[in-house]
Amino acid sequence: MSDKKASNQMWGGRFASGPAAIMEAINASIGFDKKLYQQDIRGSVAHSRMLAEQGIISADDQKKIENGLNSILADIDAGKFEFSAKLEDIHMNVEAHLAELIGPAAGRLHTARSRNDQVAVDFRLWVKEETQRIAAALKELIAAFLDRAEEHAATVMPGFTHLQTAQPVTFGHHCMAYVEMFARDLSRARDAVERMDECPLGAAALAGTGFPIDRHMTAKALGFREPTRNSLDSVSDRDFALEFLSLAAICATHLSRLAEEIVIWSTPQFGFVRLSDSYSTGSSIMPQKKNPDAAELVRAKTGRINGHLIGLLTVMKGLPLAYSKDMQEDKEAVFDAAETLDLMLAAMTGMVRDMTINTAAMKKAAGSGYATATDLADWLVRALGLPFREAHHVTGRAVALAEERKAPLDKLTLEDFRSIHAGITDDVYSVLTVQNSVKSRTSFGGTAPSEVRKQIRHWRKRLSKT
C-alpha cells in the first residue's frame, strides 16, 4: 500500500486529501455566517466612512469601497454571489470579492480593525435586530390573548392545581395569565436590546488601535447607543448571544406550557377547545382522529432551544480573554434558536386566534370536583365568624356528604348543611354556584369578570405606548 493511500485511509474517506481538507472543513464558517452579509457590509460601509472622515483613507478610496460593497450587497440579495469555503467566512468572502471589483483600494478597508471586532459587531447587530423582531411577534401574541380574554371575560371554567379541579375561574382570566407571562418575555427582550446596544467596532483584535478613529461615529451610524468601553471585553463578549438564548428558552418554555394545555383541552375527555384543520392533522389509520400537531411541535421545539442555550454556555465557560476560535460555535445555535422561536410564536399566535372555545364544556367542568368548596369555607368565616381551620373542617364534612349523595354541593339541603353545623343559613346557596364564585373574586388580579376586564384595559393601554 502506498504511503499516500495509507495517509488517506488514516484521515478517513470523507477527507481524501488529508489534513488540509479536514482543516478547511472544521475552520470554515461561511456555510452559516453568510447569514450576516447585510450586517457585515453595513459595518464595513460605516467603518470606511469613518476612516475617510478621520483622514485615514482618501475620499476617493472610500467612494470606491462603498460602491463596491453596495454592488456585492446587490449580488448577494439577487443570489448571484458565489461563496467560497476556502475564504473561511463572510468577512473574507466579501473582502476578496471587493478586491476583484475595485483593486488595491479594497485593502485599505481593513485599516484599524480586525476580524475579531468585525464579527463581534456583525453578530451583535444581527442579534439586536432579531431580538426586536421577537419583541414584535410577542406583541402580536399578547394582542391575540387580549382579544380572547375580552371575548371570554365571563366564561367560567375550572381552575386547576396539580391538574385537579381547584376553584372556578374564567377563561378570560386564564388567557390573561398568559398575557402576564409573555409580557415578561417582551420585557426581557427589550431589556436585552438595551444591554446589547453598544458597538464593539474599533476594538480591533483586542487592544484597540493607534489610528485616530472615531468609534462614536461608527456606533451612531450603525444604530447603537454608544461604543463599548473595553477593547478586551468587546471582542470576547458573547453575553448578548447568551442572553438572547436565555430569553428564547424562557419564552419557549411558556409556549410549551400553553401548547400542553391546548393538547389537553382538545382531547375528547376535556373538549374545551377545537383547532381547525389549519393547525391539526389526521391519522393515517384512524379516521376519527384529529391531532393537535402544531401544539405538539411547539412543545417539542422547546427542547431544541434549551439545548442551544446549554451548548453555548458550555462553549463559553472555559475561555480566557480575549478571542478564541471556539466562539465560532456561537452562531449556528443562535440562528437556529431564532428561526425556531419565530416559527413557534407565529404558530401559537395563529392557534390562539383560531381555536374554537367550547363554553358549555368549560361551564360543566367548572362545577365538577366540588370547585366551590373554598367559597363555602370563606362564607363560614364571613357569615358565622368561624376560624378558617374550623371552616375548612366543616367544608370537608360537607364535601364528604355530597360525595356520599353523589350530588354537587349546591344540591345539598339546608338540613344537610345544618346537620354539619347548626349555624348555616339558606344564604349559603348564594356562594355555591360557579358564576357567583367567580364574581366574588374581586381582589386585585382576581378572576372576577370585572377585574379581568380591568386588567385587559390596563394591558391594552400599556402596549399602545410601546
Side-chain angles (χ1 to χ4, degrees), residues 154 156-159 165-170 173 366-367 370-378 382 409-410 428-443 446-450:
V156 292
M157 68 173 291
T165 300
Q167 295 176 257
V169 296
T170 67
H173 191 55
Y370 305 102
T372 57
T374 305
D375 298 272
L376 172 57
D378 289 346
R382 288 195 307 270
L409 279 173
D410 63 341
V428 72
Y429 293 103
S430 66
V431 301
L432 295 182
T433 64
V434 291
Q435 287 86 355
N436 285 342
S437 173
V438 296
K439 285 180 182 178
S440 72
R441 305 291 171 178
T442 55
S443 58
T447 193
S450 59

Side-chain angles (χ1 to χ4, degrees), residues 278-444:
S278 299
Y279 295 95
S280 307
T281 64
S283 166
S284 63
I285 190 172
M286 295 169 285
Q288 83 283 7
K289 292 287 294 299
K290 188 170 187 180
N291 302 321
D293 282 6
E296 291 173 358
L297 287 166
V298 165
R299 186 175 60 186
K301 287 179 184 295
T302 300
R304 183 169 175 165
I305 293 177
N306 291 349
H308 287 317
L309 171 60
I310 298 302
L312 186 54
L313 283 168
T314 305
V315 166
M316 297 301 298
K317 72 175 182 62
L319 298 187
L321 298 180
Y323 181 82
S324 296
K325 192 69 169 181
D326 311 51
M327 292 160 69
Q328 185 168 288
E329 292 295 312
D330 55 3
K331 295 167 199 64
E332 288 179 284
V334 171
F335 292 160
D336 185 71
E339 184 177 322
T340 302
L341 186 59
D342 284 341
L343 182 58
M344 292 168 71
L345 285 166
M348 191 55 75
T349 302
M351 277 186 279
V352 169
R353 292 199 179 280
D354 169 86
M355 61 187 181
T356 301
I357 310 304
N358 187 340
T359 57
M362 285 186 171
K363 181 178 179 180
K364 181 178 179 181
S368 67
Y370 305 102
T372 57
T374 305
D375 298 272
L376 172 57
D378 289 346
W379 182 88
L380 291 167
V381 171
R382 288 195 307 270
L384 304 187
L386 270 62
F388 184 80
R389 288 302 172 197
E390 183 180 347
H392 187 282
H393 177 71
V394 170
T395 300
R397 290 177 61 195
V399 169
L401 181 59
E403 286 180 329
E404 181 183 322
R405 301 278 175 83
K406 293 183 172 53
L409 279 173
D410 63 341
K411 297 304 180 184
L412 291 179
T413 66
L414 184 58
E415 289 70 23
D416 290 331
F417 280 116
R418 284 178 171 168
S419 70
I420 298 167
H421 192 286
I424 295 176
T425 68
D426 59 5
D427 183 56
V428 72
Y429 293 103
S430 66
V431 301
L432 295 182
T433 64
V434 291
Q435 287 86 355
N436 285 342
S437 173
V438 296
K439 285 180 182 178
S440 72
R441 305 291 171 178
T442 55
S443 58
F444 186 83

Side-chain angles (χ1 to χ4, degrees), residues 20-194:
I22 293 175
M23 186 58 194
E24 181 179 308
I26 198 170
N27 191 51
S29 59
I30 190 60
F32 51 86
D33 70 14
K34 61 186 177 184
K35 187 184 284 281
L36 299 173
Y37 77 91
Q38 291 183 345
Q39 291 77 18
D40 191 70
I41 291 172
R42 283 173 56 197
S44 290
V45 168
H47 185 66
S48 72
R49 288 177 178 176
M50 181 275 295
L51 292 176
E53 180 70 22
Q54 295 298 105
I56 299 170
I57 65 173
S58 70
D60 184 59
D61 280 346
Q62 192 281 325
K63 185 176 180 181
K64 290 177 182 176
I65 289 169
E66 184 165 346
N67 288 341
L69 289 170
N70 287 334
S71 176
I72 292 170
L73 178 62
D75 283 348
I76 299 176
D77 282 339
K80 298 177 182 178
F81 190 91
E82 187 174 338
F83 294 100
S84 170
K86 294 185 184 300
L87 293 170
E88 295 184 16
D89 56 32
I90 185 61
H91 324 299
M92 296 304 294
N93 269 264
V94 170
E95 188 173 325
H97 193 59
L98 183 64
E100 293 174 4
L101 289 177
I102 68 171
R108 302 189 187 283
L109 174 60
H110 211 53
T111 306
R113 77 173 182 186
S114 161
R115 276 195 291 178
N116 292 356
D117 64 334
Q118 191 176 357
V119 71
V121 74
D122 291 359
F123 194 28
R124 192 180 285 237
L125 266 174
W126 192 94
V127 173
K128 177 184 171 184
E129 291 162 4
E130 177 59 25
T131 307
Q132 291 168 328
R133 284 191 290 270
I134 293 296
L138 281 164
K139 285 188 70 174
E140 289 296 317
L141 178 56
I142 292 168
F145 267 115
L146 288 171
D147 289 345
R148 298 319 297 263
E150 195 156 41
E151 180 185 353
H152 293 283
T155 299
V156 292
M157 68 173 291
F160 300 96
T161 61
H162 309 277
L163 206 55
Q164 304 292 314
T165 300
Q167 295 176 257
V169 296
T170 67
F171 183 62
H173 191 55
H174 201 105
C175 288
M176 292 303 294
Y178 282 105
V179 168
E180 297 287 334
M181 291 163 70
F182 292 118
R184 290 194 295 272
D185 294 327
L186 177 59
S187 175
R188 272 183 281 272
R190 288 171 173 164
D191 288 348
V193 168
E194 177 69 18

Side-chain angles (χ1 to χ4, degrees), residues 226-258:
E226 60 185 341
T228 52
R229 294 178 177 272
N230 183 281
S231 58
L232 278 169
D233 182 62
S234 298
V235 298
S236 64
D237 169 41
R238 290 298 183 271
D239 284 6
F240 62 92
L242 288 168
E243 192 161 7
F244 174 81
L245 289 174
S246 179
L247 69 88
I250 296 171
C251 180
T253 298
H254 291 158
L255 290 167
S256 184
R257 295 183 71 180
L258 173 58

